[in-house]
Amino acid sequence: RKEAVKTRRRDQSHMLLVGDPGTGKSQFLRFANALCPRSVLTTGVGTTSAGLTCAAVREGGGKEFVLEAGALVLADKGVCCIDEFGCIQDQDRTTIHEAMEQQTLSVAKAGIVCKLNCRATIIAVMNPRNCLYENQESLAKNTGLGTPLLSRFDLIFKLVDTSDASRDTNITKYLLNRAIQGSGFECSEGDEFGATKGAAWNMEKLRGYIAFVKDRFHPVMSDDAAKLLERHYEKCRLAGSSTIPSTVRFLESMIRLSQAHARLMYRNVVTLEDAAAVIRVLECSAFAYGGFDADVDDIENVMYCDPMTMAFSAEDADSDFLLWEYKLLHRHGMVQKMSQSRRGIALQSIASEGGGFPFNIGNPSLEHQSWNSREHPRDRNASEDHYGRIHISSQQRHPLHSQQVNQSSRGSDLWNEPTDDYDPDAAKAAHIRNQRPPSDVFTPSSFDVSHKKRR
């Protein structure tokens, strides 16, 4: 009697950072290595497939071979941080395909045939092939990575060092103030640009909270969140992004990230807010609708934001997210799924700004007003940075990101909420639902690491 073949869907997410030199990629990698209690930090310079997977060596002076674990195996149930990912040879880089998707490593060396677990999250950073990211080239040409490998990453961020006077001023003041204070470029407490003393969690408490929610919560997908993810996936599939193709792995990535966000928010059900928050992160990555180039016909639906220039409201972050959620649900015809209280706060924020809104949706004549002067979206509102590259900033590229709205061209029914007449097929909805039985939603409370240790 043969046993049924079992398949396993991975729970770990992977991330790739591609950017110009000096954009803080390695610093981000070292922070992730310090945060995770089980992590391995390696560099791609001189790294071989044996160093990433495992190597067969002789034990002592005998003739028997044993396997020595590599970086991916040592980081099992942890994080594997790979710096200079582009320096790994192509034939060595293909060995991690199985480790990233199936979470295993099939080994056949020196007469040893086995399968090793490597259920690790991979965070890789790399410089573009020509050291500077060329906005006119595709992601595959800038990275030198094939689509099979790129599609295995859940998040791919492009970090471009552009000429931004405000950002350059903040960085200059931050570094010079620390040098003047004699802190040796290490974190100091209570400075002008950092958090106030006692406001932020320390590393121990943050590490303990992540371990606590990861072990306790196993979120299930709600109907509203599943419907939003389904509509967003279908829209990205129809767009046909030239940056990276939208495959089934993209849908699985949204499910994983939504469940991770629900854990972070201390609940056991993936809500509509969790799905909207994940889509907002994805709209800053290569998986955004239209990709980096926004080469789509319906420009009004493009939401891509450059992660290097995107600004969040520090004073009222909740209202900022509510406005984003309202705009996203308006695009997918799901405003009625938004709770009455949250929808009321969003509409009140819109009314307090005199009817204006940071996104010009619902009025096609206004949305395309500044886009008809050029033949192609890639050529519109283009500027040259200090490296001589043609760059299209997220604030200038699409008028839907503009804060200046012509009130006279708006109709009185611009913000009429659309009816939700979309009825997705039950089989599709069941495909993206988690089969785990639903449970109660937990309310977050004060988390004490010492209490967790006593348990």
Side-chain angles (χ1 to χ4, degrees):
R1 181 181 177 181
K2 296 183 179 180
E3 296 182 358
V5 179
K6 297 181 180 180
T7 59
R8 181 177 62 184
R9 183 173 61 90
R10 63 182 173 99
D11 298 327
Q12 288 76 16
S13 302
H14 309 306
M15 184 172 62
L16 175 65
L17 299 180
V18 184
D20 297 339
T23 51
K25 302 184 299 297
S26 297
Q27 295 295 330
F28 179 85
L29 206 63
R30 294 182 183 277
F31 179 82
N33 179 62
L35 180 62
C36 183
R38 185 183 180 93
S39 61
V40 176
L41 177 61
T42 183
T43 179
V45 179
T47 299
T48 61
S49 59
L52 289 174
T53 57
C54 64
V57 297
R58 293 185 183 273
E59 184 177 12
K63 298 182 180 180
E64 297 292 333
F65 283 92
V66 296
L67 295 179
E68 287 190 357
L72 293 174
V73 181
L74 292 175
D76 185 34
K77 293 186 177 181
V79 176
C80 181
C81 305
I82 306 177
D83 201 356
E84 303 294 343
F85 189 70
C87 295
I88 304 176
Q89 298 295 328
D90 294 338
Q91 59 271 18
D92 298 328
R93 197 185 296 122
T94 54
T95 59
I96 68 175
H97 284 199
E98 179 187 0
M100 294 182 65
E101 190 63 30
Q102 282 76 34
Q103 303 283 276
T104 57
L105 283 174
S106 300
V107 181
K109 295 182 178 180
I112 303 175
V113 180
C114 63
K115 184 174 291 187
L116 304 176
N117 289 326
C118 54
R119 297 154 295 184
T121 296
I122 296 178
I123 303 178
V125 301
M126 63 178 298
N127 294 323
R129 299 187 66 178
N130 297 326
C131 295
L132 296 177
Y133 195 96
E134 296 293 340
N135 293 304
Q136 304 302 320
E137 300 292 341
S138 63
L139 179 64
K141 289 185 178 180
N142 276 285
T143 59
L145 306 179
T147 303
L149 182 57
L150 290 175
S151 63
R152 283 170 164 81
F153 287 99
D154 299 81
L155 296 171
I156 302 177
F157 293 105
K158 177 185 69 173
L159 307 180
V160 180
D161 185 15
T162 58
S163 298
D164 188 348
S166 176
R167 175 173 171 268
D168 293 342
T169 301
N170 292 334
I171 294 177
T172 302
K173 289 182 179 179
Y174 181 77
L175 295 178
L176 290 179
N177 285 341
R178 290 196 170 187
I180 293 173
Q181 293 173 2
S183 60
F185 294 92
E186 294 293 338
C187 294
S188 57
E189 299 178 353
D191 55 7
E192 180 182 357
F193 299 93
T196 57
K197 185 176 181 180
W201 286 6
N202 54 28
M203 291 287 289
E204 181 183 0
K205 190 172 184 179
L206 180 60
R207 189 185 298 113
Y209 179 79
I210 294 176
F212 176 74
V213 297
K214 183 179 180 181
D215 179 68
R216 178 171 180 176
F217 297 106
H218 303 280
V220 297
M221 193 72 61
S222 63
D223 293 338
D224 294 341
K227 185 180 295 185
L228 178 59
L229 295 182
E230 180 186 3
R231 295 191 184 182
H232 184 73
Y233 171 71
E234 291 177 351
K235 196 170 189 64
C236 292
R237 288 277 290 180
L238 293 175
S241 173
S242 59
T243 301
I244 184 171
S246 297
T247 62
V248 180
R249 290 172 180 168
F250 173 59
L251 177 59
E252 293 179 343
S253 299
M254 290 194 295
I255 297 175
R256 277 191 297 270
L257 294 174
S258 299
Q259 292 173 339
H261 189 272
R263 290 191 191 96
L264 191 64
M265 300 304 295
Y266 208 84
R267 49 177 171 249
N268 230 13
V269 175
V270 179
T271 62
L272 193 66
E273 292 80 11
D274 297 322
V278 168
I279 294 177
R280 187 175 195 182
V281 176
L282 289 172
E283 289 298 320
C284 297
S285 68
F287 298 98
Y289 177 73
F292 292 146
D293 303 323
D295 191 9
V296 290
D297 296 332
D298 52 340
I299 304 298
E300 65 276 7
N301 288 323
V302 173
M303 295 183 178
Y304 173 73
C305 296
D306 189 351
M308 296 292 291
T309 59
M310 184 178 182
F312 294 92
S313 176
E315 293 79 9
D316 197 358
D318 293 336
S319 298
D320 181 69
F321 177 74
L322 279 177
L323 294 177
W324 160 267
E325 184 183 359
Y326 188 93
K327 192 259 176 175
L328 177 67
L329 297 179
H330 188 282
R331 184 179 74 169
H332 293 291
M334 293 182 58
V335 178
Q336 298 294 337
K337 297 296 182 180
M338 197 174 183
S339 63
Q340 188 69 26
S341 58
R342 295 175 65 86
R343 186 164 67 244
I345 296 175
L347 293 175
Q348 185 179 2
S349 300
I350 296 172
S352 63
E353 297 178 2
F357 195 67
F359 304 101
N360 303 328
I361 61 176
N363 194 336
S365 61
L366 180 61
E367 289 159 352
H368 295 281
Q369 183 176 1
S370 61
W371 281 81
N372 296 326
S373 59
R374 304 293 182 96
E375 295 181 355
H376 196 274
R378 298 179 184 177
D379 302 328
R380 298 167 182 152
N381 296 327
S383 60
E384 185 174 334
D385 62 5
H386 55 282
Y387 288 115
R389 298 170 297 183
I390 301 300
H391 176 72
I392 304 176
S393 64
S394 59
Q395 287 79 2
Q396 297 175 348
R397 178 165 61 184
H398 313 301
L400 57 90
H401 290 281
S402 175
Q403 299 291 337
Q404 300 296 332
V405 180
N406 186 4
Q407 303 296 333
S408 61
S409 61
R410 286 183 172 271
S412 59
D413 58 345
L414 176 60
W415 293 109
N416 289 339
E417 299 174 356
T419 59
D420 188 14
D421 55 353
Y422 185 85
D423 186 17
D425 186 68
K428 292 182 180 179
H431 174 69
I432 58 177
R433 286 198 190 99
N434 196 305
Q435 299 300 324
R436 185 181 299 275
S439 57
D440 297 334
V441 180
F442 292 90
T443 304
S445 57
S446 58
F447 181 78
D448 189 1
V449 179
S450 60
H451 175 70
K452 180 67 169 61
K453 290 181 177 180
R454 288 194 296 269
R455 293 183 60 188

